[in-house]
Amino acid sequence: MTGTDLTWATAAGIAAEVRAGRITAFEVTGRILDRIARMDPAINAFTDITASAALTEAEAVDAAIAAGRDPGPLAGVPFAVKNLFDVAGLPTRAGSKINRDRPPATEDAVLIRRMRAAGAVLVGALNMGEYAYDFTGENAHDGACLNPHDTSRMSGGSSSGCGAATAAGLAPISLGSDTNGSLRVPASMCGVFSLKPTYGRLPRTGTFSFVDSLDHLGPFARAPRDLALAYDAMQGHDAGDHACARRPPEPAVPGLDRDTGPLRVGLPGGWFARFGGDGTEAADHVARGLRRMGATLSRVDLDAAEAGRAAAYLVTNSESAAFHLDRLRSWAEDFDPDTRDRFLAGALLPAAWVARAQRVRAWWLDRALEAFDAVDLLIVPATPVSAPPVGQKELTLDGTPHPLRPTIGLLSQPFSCIGLPVVTVPVFEAGAMPIGVQIVARPWAEALALRVAEALARDGVVGARPPQIVEPQRAARAV
Amino acid sequence: MSRLDNGAYIDAAADLVGLPLRPEWRPGVARFVALAAGMAEVLDRVDLDDAELVQAPVYTLPDMADDRD
């Protein structure tokens, strides 16, 4: 691999080359840092580049190999994290202006430590919507994160830098968070894969909360196998997160190439069809691919999702506002104007609405589990549209204009509301922006969703594609 | 949401929780309170049984290293 372009190499491919001694982790890291320096100004995905620490970490990987020790399954693989992860030496800004006055983190988040223990090399922290209350990738403090496939368009949020950096070849793996869709909306808009594991699967220790009841962490990648490698490296209970399940790791990589078997696939109609928009055709494309693989398709009634989405909205609005109440009282003027009004509103909601939302959440889980009596997986669009232009404020769905920010995740919210695992897969149609499709599984069945995503990618039904971004310096010289 | 049009609820609730609301923020806050009210109406249409009392978050005490009988 020495001398060849690493830009679109998979994490699995990089690790194999590093482990075999055909390239050093130091060289991989140096090349990705160079590419970040050249290309990131076009998309604004990174807020911090930890170059010096990254090169030191890479040297440690190379030293392990030289000493005959196993460097780990992600040896030398560069990765980056949404800037709500604690990174030792950096204030955990979580997309805000207010947090950057906090003292620097004294240690890395647990998931960063686990990735590093597997040999991966952290290269930086990534842009995000303020306090994760975002689906657009816009940020008044750090600037909008732009879509590598068309820099006039949104990256999606709130894990905006993750979707953009991974799509642009600046980080084969990135780690983000998802409360209502923030791992899935940017994956959809930027045309990459993401895994939102089951709620409670991966520990959130050392990350800045948005909505404790709904927050998940997970990886982005350009290939399902890379998702599985990162996921396996990060599994396991940690006492620092009260919601982290006491389950032993259930590795996904060993079964990734197994036959998917006689899958029963559910396609929700009704409310999902009404608001599926352009995503419906992408979901149908994935469903046809599964049918060619031998799956049985059936329509399922999941209209209870509308109430699940409403419950997620109210729990999010109220719980996040309560979490930020002191900051809203003292520094409301320092919030991003696009999140401030929503946080303020959340602090004013009647408690009875939120208590009922928690009951409806449990009711919606029961309805969803009933659907899983008849199917193994659900196929649902991740977003109703591909990436809108930066600055767009309204979204027309089902013939009615809606405010864009709270609406663009309406197809993802129902599933994070009840914590189901979801792999988002990218669909590209000729000449069009990408759009993602959710593969939704039963609780704790991440391995099945990943296996199906891998089979779809192997058959060419889904897959990431290199974007056509222009290196800013070269563009300037060309003018 | 006509019952919110005069802003009386927003003013009272903001005062109660000690939130300063600048005049220029109020229209946006009112829009989001109205949006939340619409979500609450969706929840009201769900026919919940009185026995459905599962609530989150669930309060759980941690295991203790020195547990004894």
Side-chain angles (χ1 to χ4, degrees):
Chain A
M1 193 173 279
T2 303
T4 61
D5 186 5
L6 289 172
T7 309
W8 309 112
T10 62
I14 292 170
E17 296 296 302
V18 170
R19 290 170 62 86
R22 288 190 284 270
I23 190 170
T24 63
F26 190 83
E27 182 170 356
V28 172
T29 304
R31 286 209 229 165
I32 201 96
L33 289 171
D34 178 62
R35 181 169 168 80
I36 292 167
R38 287 186 290 112
M39 304 302 291
D40 188 60
I43 56 172
N44 195 30
F46 279 79
T47 53
D48 302 275
I49 301 168
T50 53
S52 176
L55 291 168
T56 301
E57 288 175 29
E59 285 178 323
V61 172
D62 291 332
I65 293 170
R69 297 195 302 273
D70 185 344
L74 291 169
V77 173
F79 77 107
V81 297
K82 188 174 184 175
N83 70 29
L84 56 66
F85 283 71
D86 286 350
V87 176
L90 299 177
T92 307
R93 69 172 82 178
S96 71
K97 175 183 176 185
I98 294 166
N99 276 35
R100 55 195 79 185
D101 290 335
R102 294 161 69 91
T106 55
E107 63 178 355
D108 296 322
V110 162
L111 294 193
I112 293 177
R113 284 184 263 153
R114 290 180 177 178
M115 287 287 287
R116 190 177 289 129
V121 174
L122 181 70
V123 295
L126 297 165
N127 204 346
M128 60 175 285
E130 185 179 58
Y131 292 131
Y133 214 165
D134 171 53
F135 284 133
T136 66
E138 295 168 356
N139 183 304
H141 316 301
D142 291 311
C145 181
L146 305 175
N147 195 306
H149 292 281
D150 178 347
T151 54
S152 73
R153 294 181 180 273
M154 297 174 180
S155 59
S158 65
S159 306
S160 50
C162 298
T166 295
L170 307 186
I173 293 174
S174 55
L175 305 184
S177 68
D178 186 316
T179 304
N180 285 284
S182 291
L183 284 162
R184 293 163 286 163
V185 172
S188 178
M189 292 188 180
C190 293
V192 295
F193 295 84
S194 73
L195 167 65
K196 187 201 76 60
T198 309
Y199 180 78
R201 173 73 88 175
L202 298 183
R204 305 166 299 179
T205 316
T207 60
F208 198 81
S209 178
F210 173 27
V211 180
D212 183 55
S213 301
L214 300 171
D215 289 341
H216 307 63
L217 304 178
F220 290 80
R222 294 192 298 272
R225 186 173 304 278
D226 290 357
L227 289 182
L229 280 165
Y231 170 61
D232 286 0
M234 295 189 292
Q235 288 188 54
H237 177 259
D238 182 78
D241 177 358
H242 70 93
C244 189
R246 292 182 179 278
R247 294 175 70 90
E250 297 169 280
V253 170
L256 203 59
D257 295 317
R258 276 211 327 259
D259 189 86
T260 52
L263 279 179
R264 301 170 302 162
V265 173
L267 305 173
W271 183 80
F272 280 101
R274 184 179 162 203
F275 290 105
D278 301 337
T280 300
E281 173 50 34
D284 289 346
H285 168 81
V286 170
R288 289 192 295 271
L290 290 169
R291 186 167 55 201
R292 286 196 296 275
M293 289 162 47
T296 304
L297 309 184
S298 61
R299 282 283 167 200
V300 293
D301 176 5
L302 270 185
D303 280 1
E306 180 184 15
R309 185 244 175 170
Y313 185 94
L314 290 173
V315 170
T316 297
N317 200 201
S318 172
E319 193 174 312
S320 64
F323 179 60
H324 288 294
L325 192 55
D326 286 344
R327 284 178 277 272
L328 290 166
R329 285 174 176 144
S330 302
W331 298 296
E333 68 277 8
D334 287 336
F335 277 68
D336 186 326
D338 274 327
T339 65
R340 179 178 50 225
D341 293 351
R342 194 150 44 142
F343 275 124
L344 289 168
L348 309 180
L349 303 188
W353 291 359
V354 184
R356 186 170 181 86
Q358 294 287 10
R359 292 180 67 198
V360 170
R361 182 191 190 192
W363 171 87
W364 156 228
L365 173 62
D366 288 343
R367 304 289 82 73
L369 294 182
E370 285 170 6
F372 276 107
D373 286 341
V375 300
D376 303 304
L377 296 169
L378 299 168
I379 299 299
V380 185
T383 53
V385 291
S386 57
V390 173
Q392 184 171 318
K393 299 296 184 191
E394 277 196 347
L395 189 65
T396 297
L397 290 178
D398 193 35
T400 306
H402 299 267
L404 182 141
R405 279 186 161 253
T407 304
I408 207 156
L410 88 167
L411 305 174
S412 58
Q413 282 177 288
F415 303 111
S416 37
C417 176
I418 51 177
L420 300 185
V422 183
V423 174
T424 300
V425 296
V427 173
F428 283 77
E429 295 292 334
M433 290 290 285
I435 193 162
V437 175
Q438 300 178 89
I439 301 173
V440 186
R442 291 186 183 89
W444 315 112
E446 290 91 337
L448 174 63
L450 286 165
R451 189 157 70 239
V452 170
E454 173 70 12
L456 288 165
R458 201 165 45 232
D459 281 9
V461 177
V462 303
R465 293 184 187 175
Q468 301 295 316
I469 53 172
V470 178
E471 186 178 336
Q473 295 93 324
R474 286 184 187 162
R477 278 200 297 273
V479 173
Chain B
M1 296 304 298
S2 59
R3 63 184 183 274
L4 295 169
D5 282 350
N6 62 15
Y9 172 80
I10 290 172
D11 288 339
D15 185 55
L16 192 64
V17 298
L19 272 185
L21 289 189
R22 290 188 186 171
E24 63 268 29
W25 300 343
R26 292 186 79 268
V29 173
R31 276 197 298 277
F32 281 112
V33 170
L35 185 59
M39 298 291 176
E41 288 178 356
V42 173
L43 300 188
D44 277 344
R45 293 199 292 270
V46 177
D47 186 18
L48 288 176
D49 190 288
D50 281 348
E52 289 179 294
L53 291 171
V54 179
Q55 304 254 343
V58 176
Y59 176 76
T60 309
L61 288 164
D63 295 332
M64 304 301 289
D66 60 347
D67 277 352
R68 297 183 182 86
D69 291 338

